[in-house]
Amino acid sequence: MDRATVYVKQSKMSEMGAEQFIKQILETATWRDNCNVLDVGCGPGNVTHDYILPILPIRANSIVAIDKKANLVDYANEHYGKKSKIQFKTVDIVKDVQTLDEYVNHFDHIFSFYCLQSIREQETALRNIFKILKPGGDFYFSCDAQTNLYEGCEYLLGTPEWEPVLRDYKETMSPFHDSESPAQDLEELLTKIGFQSVYVTMERQEFLIPMEDLPEFVVVQTPFDIPPEFEEKFGQACVDTARTLKLNRFVDGQECCYLQLQLLFGHQRKPIASAQKPVF
């Protein structure tokens, strides 16, 4: 399976979420001339190119998009980098400190769509984002707080066949998955780091994934890696599990998997006074 190609094919949910949040961003956004822009967790680059790039000012100075998965960045460069001013780079927002240090107080606008939920070292990632954001700059993000997707993982974890593959899946769960108040907890963490909160909101959303697409969808959208030799079998196991857990729905004669999400949306700003204050 070419994961990057399949990722784009199965990214309708991410694109819908990005389109919705972009509309919200545009209601209050103030773009700076000659601005430097960053997208954290760009994946294969389709959301960066199709949704973020069109709303930016023509005179944007630089547009950088990063992801820790080299195969996705390679795809982004091949399909979007050659025909735009976006620079796609393989960078881990948690671990690549030396690279990030080159961008201290550099970016005017930072975006991150559907990335933060898969980062367990949440505070480290957010501190790094704060560090590279220019004083007075804006940070816009959306991420899952909770999802019923993990009901299927928990079910499969209890089977002898899939326990060895899924035993560590909770390490990739959103750090707010078990929180009673995800929006409040995240906002408190952002404030602790030094951000000035414009808003953090949470919204319930529901999606129907055609059952025929579910095998590819779960392989590329789950934040943990499925060994290539298990991809096809795991995809079919997820279809069977969705039916067992009664997560299947029929719409106009088509069987779908019902996916429920609690999504966090946020706009944060780095205070201008932060220019004289250490981040760590």
Side-chain angles (χ1 to χ4, degrees), residues 198-232:
V198 180
Y199 63 79
V200 176
T201 61
M202 187 167 72
E203 178 180 319
R204 173 174 167 161
Q205 294 192 357
E206 300 174 342
F207 297 91
L208 291 172
I209 309 298
M211 201 64 83
E212 62 187 22
D213 291 339
L214 189 64
E216 288 185 344
F217 177 85
V218 294
V219 169
V220 298
Q221 292 289 344
T222 48
F224 50 86
D225 290 327
I226 302 298
E229 64 271 23
F230 293 123
E231 288 177 347
E232 184 175 350

Side-chain angles (χ1 to χ4, degrees), residues 59-71:
R59 293 194 298 271
N61 181 53
S62 69
I63 305 169
V64 179
I66 63 173
D67 200 282
K68 69 178 182 180
K69 295 187 176 181
N71 65 315

Side-chain angles (χ1 to χ4, degrees), residues 6 15 30 48 59 67 71 79 91 106 127 137 143 175 178-179 184 218-219 222 226 237 245 249 264:
V6 175
E15 292 176 348
T30 301
T48 314
R59 293 194 298 271
D67 200 282
N71 65 315
H79 290 81
V91 179
H106 179 75
R127 284 190 179 278
C143 62
D178 296 320
S179 170
Q184 179 180 336
V218 294
V219 169
T222 48
I226 302 298
L245 298 180
R249 304 285 189 275
L264 292 167

Side-chain angles (χ1 to χ4, degrees), residues 61-107:
N61 181 53
S62 69
I63 305 169
V64 179
I66 63 173
D67 200 282
K68 69 178 182 180
K69 295 187 176 181
N71 65 315
L72 297 182
V73 173
D74 289 344
Y75 180 98
N77 273 313
E78 178 66 26
H79 290 81
Y80 304 109
K82 293 180 178 180
K83 59 182 179 181
S84 73
K85 64 191 301 182
I86 306 172
Q87 305 170 56
F88 292 98
K89 300 183 178 184
T90 304
V91 179
D92 188 324
I93 192 63
V94 172
K95 297 179 181 178
D96 290 337
V97 178
Q98 186 173 352
T99 299
L100 296 171
D101 281 345
E102 298 174 9
Y103 292 102
V104 173
N105 294 327
H106 179 75
F107 293 103

Side-chain angles (χ1 to χ4, degrees), residues 23-31 138 140 198-199 267 269:
K23 292 178 181 178
Q24 188 172 335
I25 290 171
L26 288 175
E27 292 177 1
T28 59
T30 301
W31 307 119
D138 298 293
Y140 299 98
V198 180
Y199 63 79
H267 176 193
R269 186 168 289 131

Side-chain angles (χ1 to χ4, degrees), residues 7 13-14 40-41 68 93 112-122 125-126 129 139 141-147 149-150 169-177 186 217 220-224 261-265:
Y7 193 105
M13 186 176 70
S14 300
V40 177
K68 69 178 182 180
I93 192 63
S112 182
F113 295 158
Y114 295 98
C115 168
L116 293 175
Q117 71 268 7
S118 60
I119 301 176
R120 293 298 292 181
E121 305 93 334
Q122 193 84 177
L126 292 172
I129 289 171
F139 171 43
F141 67 86
S142 65
C143 62
D144 301 348
Q146 298 161 342
T147 172
L149 178 67
Y150 289 111
Y169 87 89
K170 291 184 179 180
E171 294 300 315
T172 63
M173 289 174 61
S174 164
F176 303 105
H177 183 77
L186 178 54
F217 177 85
V220 298
Q221 292 289 344
T222 48
F224 50 86
L261 304 170
Q262 294 286 355
L263 290 177
L264 292 167
F265 299 93

